[in-house]
Amino acid sequence: MRLSSLADYAVVMMSAAARHGCGARLSAAVLADETHVPLPTAQKLMQRLAGAGLLISARGTGGGFSLSRPAGAISLADIIEAVEGPIALTTCVDDNRDDCALDHHCAVRPHWGIVNRAVRGALAEISLSQLAATTVLPERVRAAPVIEMVI
């Protein structure tokens, strides 16, 4: 499973926007400059993210884009779905599709929904505020058990 470049760029741009804060109004040019995403791509993505309700667009003097809600309330799944559409690992999880040659004989099909929900759930647990953090603790520190001391 691999994200498209557009989804990757959207995550990078939303993370940069989050570092500015929820109320900050930013232009596509500013975010393109900060993230090194080509300006036409940045403009396209910001429109798509606004259409999905993740950004608010304001026109005129002092206009631009801002986060529609706090970064902690926007998930990685939200951003990916804004660009890619619903997260679906296989066509089996889409009830409206029936184009698999193995459809009537597949013993795995009933389980793809469970797998798909697990993947989407994991992506939904990662907030934009986590992605926007400028420092990440090493894995060994994040995975270390918490020890309580009573004195």
Side-chain angles (χ1 to χ4, degrees):
M1 185 173 123
R2 183 180 299 240
L3 292 179
S4 70
S5 294
L6 281 180
D8 182 22
Y9 293 166
V11 171
V12 169
M13 289 179 54
M14 288 290 287
S15 297
R19 284 190 288 277
H20 283 272
C22 189
R25 292 229 172 125
L26 303 162
S27 68
V30 166
L31 286 177
D33 187 51
E34 283 184 24
T35 61
H36 305 284
V37 171
L39 181 57
T41 303
Q43 292 168 326
K44 175 182 176 178
L45 284 172
M46 291 183 82
Q47 289 298 326
R48 194 174 290 183
L49 293 163
L54 299 179
L55 294 176
I56 297 171
S57 174
R59 295 187 182 271
T61 305
F65 292 89
S66 59
L67 296 178
S68 64
R69 54 189 186 264
I74 298 173
S75 73
L76 178 56
D78 295 332
I79 300 167
I80 292 169
E81 288 180 332
V83 176
E84 301 282 345
I87 295 168
L89 295 178
T90 69
T91 58
C92 297
V93 297
D94 187 352
D95 292 330
N96 299 327
R97 304 262 323 245
D98 192 26
D99 58 354
C100 178
L102 303 177
D103 190 35
H104 301 292
H105 308 289
C106 182
V108 179
R109 183 174 188 210
H111 306 288
W112 276 117
I114 297 165
V115 174
N116 200 75
R117 283 189 298 277
V119 170
R120 194 205 183 280
L123 295 172
E125 289 293 319
I126 301 168
S127 72
L128 180 57
S129 59
Q130 290 171 298
L131 295 169
T134 56
T135 59
V136 177
L137 295 174
E139 179 63 32
R140 61 183 165 71
V141 175
R142 286 182 284 143
V146 175
I147 299 171
E148 287 189 37
M149 295 178 59
V150 179
I151 299 176

